[in-house]
Amino acid sequence: MSTILGKRKRRESQREDLASQPSTNTQALYQDALRKHFEANFESIESPNHNSFILPLSGQDDSEPHTPNTDAESEWEGLSDTENIETVSYVSATTIHDDYGTARSLRKRFMGSKPPQEDSKLPTSQNKSANGEKISSRNVSNLTAEDIALQRLLAESHLLRGTAGSIQPPTLKTRHATQDLRLQTLGAKQAVNAIGAGNTPMALRKGIENKKRMKEQGRRREAKESGVILEKEVETSFKNKRRKRSRDVGAPAVGKWRGGTLVLGKKDVAEIEGQKFTNAYSNKRKGKSKGRKR
Amino acid sequence: MAEELRKPIRFTTTENFTLRLVLASLTGRSIQISQIRPESTSNPGLTPHEISFLRLLEAVTNGSVIDVSMTGTTVRYKPGLIMGSAPGTGAIGGVIRHELPAGCERGLSYFLIPMCLLAPFSKAQLNLLFTGPGVITSATALGDMSVDSVRTAILPLYAQFGIQNNIELRIIRRSNPGPQGLGGAGEVQFVFGHQVRLPTTLHLLNAGRVKRIRGVAYSTGVSASNNARMIETARGVLNSLTPDTYIYSDVSSAPYIPSADKSAPKKKIGLGFGLSLVAESSTGCLFSADVASPPEGGETPESVGEQCAYQLLEILSMDGTVSITAAPTILTLMAMGSEDVGRVKLGRDVLASESVIGLARDLESFGSSRWGMRNDTADDSDAVVISVVGRGVGNVGRKIG
């Protein structure tokens, strides 16, 4: 019985020996692969027990897997005082860039359309004037404010044209015009404060539009009479542009009947042919159905 | 005084042609350039790229008068206001579209660098689109730098003058020089949206040490392996000197231009490859080198990469804080700055270069004060410290506008 027990124990211990070695090795391998994957995506791991991943790997070839640990501990004499300790550090390309950002962001920064900005501050020598005094941040912000003020003055100078020389408080009209200009430089599509924009009553707005049109017509008529060639009239209203399909009785559902022939435009042909490159998903007709399905 | 201002300043030959025109625009003085290739029997007078530059100048200014003589050997230029891409001038939708003719042999930097100098002083932002069958984005054999180098080595210098916002140089399509070095069909958009009253005074005396080297290898219409080969040889030279060397690769297909041949209505142009390298020092000084494959071919990417790396080392060996290619830009901006003394350290070879000496003479004839020079005493280098007094005017046109 005891022999069997012993046998089993021995067998078990042998099996453990066999099993434990590859398991630690594979675990180390897994962890190593995981670490590599992590480091490829993020920063490198500077863990103190970093070498513990590698040690079992190095002990792989040893014939006795258990003994070397104890042997190494006993034979370990501490670091020698000799100077020539060779340190090999492997620095991958990604870790070089760690100080500045990821490779992707670096590429974006360098290869983008903007000139690459320096990551570090400009040398202090540039921020000094000739007298050696430093230009303070307040001073710099003053300069920028002046620049902005000058740019605004240049852009809005035409509003001051009426007030020749004398500085007057801004009237409501100029104030609104200035505000509109500034909003438009910021990207506003249309004037907010101009009369006729926004919440003007419809009757008033119609009147304004009418007056504008009359004025323009008068100008054109006068120019025509006196032989002045004006700029081409731009059709602004969208309504007139859109032509409607002829709704006559007996008119063709597609194209136009002209001179005894059915004339098809590009649009009509495209409508008849349908989408040329269709796949299973875009085969469905989208939107309102127009006419009969063909 | 007024009488004197009205008289044009006279120059001869086309040396520093663009810079003289830029200085004229910035100072508001009219100039007359005569003896433009009078001896040439085949092509006397202005070349296509010079004419094109004059047209561009007319597009970004308002009210300038350009007179070219019958033979094209004399040009008179009376500057107007620098308007940029303000609405109502030549701009459509806020963009000035400039087409370069097919016979253009200069790289786009020939047009870009002067425009960069004009743009900070314009009334509105400058938004230019360079198109047409003459746009060469690469470096050329005539010494023009590539558009990449303009973006990575010239435009960042403006930050030292307080000009850094809203500047963009977008390479939409690349092109090397076409056959016989003529034409290309690239497309580049240039936006310069930071206008200032006066550039700040520059004091650039510490060159520092080279911190990193970056670069762009480009190949247009040829195999991408050319890029890899250029990068490998260039890194072979540079890596031992600066470990932080990284060269990006940009591969693009060749642009097409319409041809008269009916059987092949489109033809490829601007095939080739090249390398642009930029070294950045610890104090933010930039030094660039550019080499591109010659249009007739016959050069390996290895030799282009090696040449470029050695060219960069040569430029770095010249000492000083400003490279030979950037010196005219820096010195002109300093001369147009506030009435204050700016200082910059230049290497002796940079100072003695034709372009810098020519600029010094031109500035003097435009009425700027002369430069002060002294040997650099800070360390054992044999560089020269140049003191430049700004005009304090910024731009005459801006004052009126």
Side-chain angles (χ1 to χ4, degrees):
Chain A
M1 190 72 190
S2 63
T3 50
I4 297 164
L5 256 175
K7 245 185 178 174
R8 200 170 64 199
K9 260 188 185 169
R10 201 165 65 227
R11 238 183 270 137
E12 270 181 357
S13 68
Q14 271 172 352
R15 205 189 306 147
E16 253 174 34
D17 281 356
L18 284 170
S20 67
Q21 187 190 350
S23 75
T24 48
N25 282 347
T26 47
Q27 197 183 3
L29 272 173
Y30 287 149
Q31 272 179 330
D32 203 35
L34 183 66
R35 185 174 55 80
K36 272 180 187 163
H37 177 71
F38 183 83
E39 282 181 349
N41 284 317
F42 305 102
E43 286 182 349
S44 62
I45 307 165
E46 298 289 338
S47 61
N49 55 355
H50 183 104
N51 291 338
S52 64
F53 294 125
I54 301 157
L55 270 175
L57 272 177
S58 62
Q60 196 177 358
D61 296 334
D62 289 355
S63 53
E64 294 164 317
H66 285 298
T67 43
N69 273 342
T70 50
D71 281 1
E73 269 172 22
S74 60
E75 283 169 14
W76 174 249
E77 290 161 354
L79 284 168
S80 59
D81 291 333
T82 48
E83 294 300 306
N84 51 359
I85 303 167
E86 199 178 348
T87 313
V88 180
S89 62
Y90 293 97
V91 183
S92 66
T94 47
T95 47
I96 285 180
H97 296 151
D98 274 349
D99 308 343
Y100 317 118
T102 60
R104 200 178 194 188
S105 72
L106 277 175
R107 186 186 167 89
K108 218 174 176 184
R109 203 189 299 169
F110 190 80
M111 295 293 283
S113 61
K114 292 207 162 122
Q117 295 281 323
E118 285 167 44
D119 42 61
S120 54
K121 292 275 174 205
L122 288 175
T124 47
S125 64
Q126 287 152 17
N127 293 337
K128 283 180 185 171
S129 74
N131 310 333
E133 61 186 26
K134 249 186 157 182
I135 294 174
S136 63
S137 58
R138 201 185 67 78
N139 212 343
V140 169
S141 64
N142 254 0
L143 287 174
T144 1
E146 276 180 25
D147 276 342
I148 291 169
L150 183 81
Q151 276 175 12
R152 280 190 172 164
L153 180 68
L154 286 169
E156 295 155 9
S157 54
H158 65 278
L159 296 175
L160 305 169
R161 199 169 285 157
T163 63
S166 60
I167 297 166
Q168 289 164 347
T171 58
L172 183 79
K173 206 177 161 189
T174 52
R175 195 158 59 79
H176 277 168
T178 324
Q179 199 178 14
D180 276 342
L181 262 180
R182 287 183 190 171
L183 283 172
Q184 271 162 7
T185 53
L186 286 173
K189 284 279 183 286
Q190 51 187 216
V192 177
N193 287 313
I195 300 166
N199 291 333
T200 321
M202 192 205 269
L204 191 57
R205 197 194 312 219
K206 271 183 180 169
I208 291 165
E209 296 275 319
N210 215 14
K211 182 75 185 292
K212 210 188 275 174
R213 202 168 52 245
M214 296 294 280
K215 234 181 184 175
E216 176 67 11
Q217 276 174 0
R219 191 174 74 96
R220 290 207 168 266
R221 195 176 51 243
E222 270 171 32
K224 203 175 176 185
E225 280 163 6
S226 54
V228 178
I229 295 166
L230 284 179
E231 75 279 0
K232 250 187 187 169
E233 205 166 357
V234 184
E235 190 62 62
T236 46
S237 59
F238 182 67
K239 229 184 239 172
N240 299 345
K241 247 186 181 175
R242 196 166 50 188
R243 285 201 202 109
K244 274 183 185 163
R245 186 169 65 86
S246 159
R247 301 260 179 205
D248 298 346
V249 177
V254 66
K256 250 178 235 163
W257 191 257
R258 201 188 285 152
T261 45
L262 183 68
V263 183
L264 295 181
K266 242 183 216 169
K267 202 179 151 207
D268 300 319
V269 174
E271 269 180 7
I272 293 164
E273 282 186 339
Q275 272 184 315
K276 273 196 180 159
F277 303 102
T278 51
N279 54 28
Y281 297 104
S282 64
N283 224 354
K284 270 189 282 180
R285 284 169 72 98
K286 279 173 191 164
K288 261 197 297 187
S289 70
K290 285 172 192 161
R292 230 175 285 133
K293 280 184 189 179
R294 270 174 274 269
Chain B
M1 184 65 187
E3 181 71 20
E4 190 188 312
L5 277 178
R6 232 179 292 127
K7 263 196 292 181
I9 305 168
R10 282 164 198 281
F11 294 106
T12 54
T13 74
T14 51
E15 264 174 46
N16 290 338
F17 182 74
T18 53
L19 206 51
R20 280 171 179 168
L21 289 169
V22 165
L23 287 176
S25 310
L26 291 178
T27 55
R29 299 285 306 272
S30 52
I31 61 169
Q32 181 178 345
I33 302 172
S34 55
Q35 293 178 35
I36 301 170
R37 300 187 191 88
E39 260 113 62
S40 169
T41 48
S42 53
N43 292 315
L46 294 163
T47 49
H49 57 264
E50 283 158 359
I51 292 280
S52 195
F53 183 75
L54 287 172
R55 284 189 191 286
L56 181 58
L57 212 54
E58 200 184 14
V60 297
T61 57
N62 189 13
S64 52
V65 180
I66 300 168
D67 281 334
V68 183
S69 70
M70 284 288 278
T71 51
T73 54
T74 306
V75 178
R76 195 177 295 146
Y77 173 61
K78 189 167 156 286
L81 297 180
I82 307 169
M83 294 296 282
S85 304
T89 51
I92 300 161
V95 184
I96 293 176
R97 196 184 154 90
H98 187 66
E99 288 214 10
L100 296 183
C104 184
E105 57 179 354
R106 302 297 298 257
L108 195 63
S109 60
Y110 177 84
F111 302 92
L112 274 179
I113 294 171
M115 282 302 121
C116 294
L117 281 171
L118 283 184
F121 303 101
S122 77
K123 186 170 174 179
Q125 74 159 6
L126 189 65
N127 194 339
L128 281 167
L129 180 70
F130 291 95
T131 52
V135 180
I136 306 168
T137 61
S138 76
T140 61
L142 294 163
D144 297 308
M145 55 168 50
S146 67
V147 176
D148 295 281
S149 290
V150 173
R151 186 175 55 81
T152 55
I154 299 287
L155 288 178
L157 296 175
Y158 282 77
Q160 304 190 341
F161 292 96
I163 306 164
Q164 54 194 345
N165 301 336
N166 198 7
I167 302 175
E168 268 182 60
L169 185 56
R170 192 174 295 129
I171 304 167
I172 300 166
R173 207 185 302 136
R174 285 179 184 277
S175 176
N176 275 53
Q180 286 103 48
L182 295 177
E187 200 168 287
V188 170
Q189 185 165 25
F190 174 56
V191 181
F192 203 111
H194 195 165
Q195 276 68 40
V196 289
R197 194 171 39 111
L198 283 172
T200 52
T201 313
L202 179 74
H203 294 274
L204 200 56
L205 298 173
N206 186 7
R209 317 275 294 178
V210 171
K211 182 169 66 172
R212 58 164 164 252
I213 296 173
R214 291 284 176 271
V216 182
Y218 47 89
S219 56
T220 317
V222 291
S223 163
S225 68
N226 290 312
N227 275 354
R229 287 162 69 184
M230 278 189 290
I231 290 169
E232 198 190 349
T233 29
R235 286 188 66 139
V237 176
L238 297 171
N239 254 17
S240 55
L241 305 167
T242 314
D244 191 2
T245 303
Y246 200 90
I247 303 170
Y248 296 92
S249 157
D250 194 332
V251 188
S252 55
S253 53
Y256 285 99
I257 52 167
S259 80
D261 187 10
K262 278 274 184 289
S263 59
K266 288 193 290 184
K267 84 175 177 194
K268 274 184 184 178
I269 195 173
L271 306 173
F273 50 86
L275 185 61
S276 139
L277 291 174
V278 180
E280 190 189 336
S281 81
S282 51
T283 53
C285 301
L286 296 167
F287 304 88
S288 71
D290 257 300
V291 178
S293 64
E296 63 272 12
E299 195 144 347
T300 58
E302 280 83 7
S303 79
V304 168
E306 197 178 15
Q307 270 180 46
C308 194
Y310 283 126
Q311 192 185 327
L312 183 68
L313 295 181
E314 192 192 344
I315 282 167
L316 287 169
S317 74
M318 285 181 183
D319 207 0
T321 54
V322 179
S323 78
I324 195 163
T325 46
T329 299
I330 291 270
L331 289 167
T332 310
L333 280 175
M334 286 173 83
M336 294 299 139
S338 55
E339 261 179 317
D340 197 357
V341 186
R343 295 186 196 87
V344 67
K345 194 165 91 172
L346 292 187
R348 268 175 205 277
D349 291 332
V350 176
L351 182 61
S353 69
E354 217 171 305
S355 57
V356 173
I357 290 191
L359 173 66
R361 288 181 179 151
D362 290 347
L363 277 175
E364 201 197 339
S365 48
F366 275 104
S368 284
S369 49
R370 296 182 176 190
W371 295 345
M373 294 180 205
R374 65 175 165 81
N375 282 326
D376 183 31
T377 50
D379 45 17
D380 55 346
S381 72
D382 59 348
V384 183
V385 175
I386 307 234
S387 314
V388 183
V389 183
R391 290 174 60 88
V393 200
N395 176 17
V396 174
R398 280 279 301 267
K399 292 264 166 183
I400 304 160

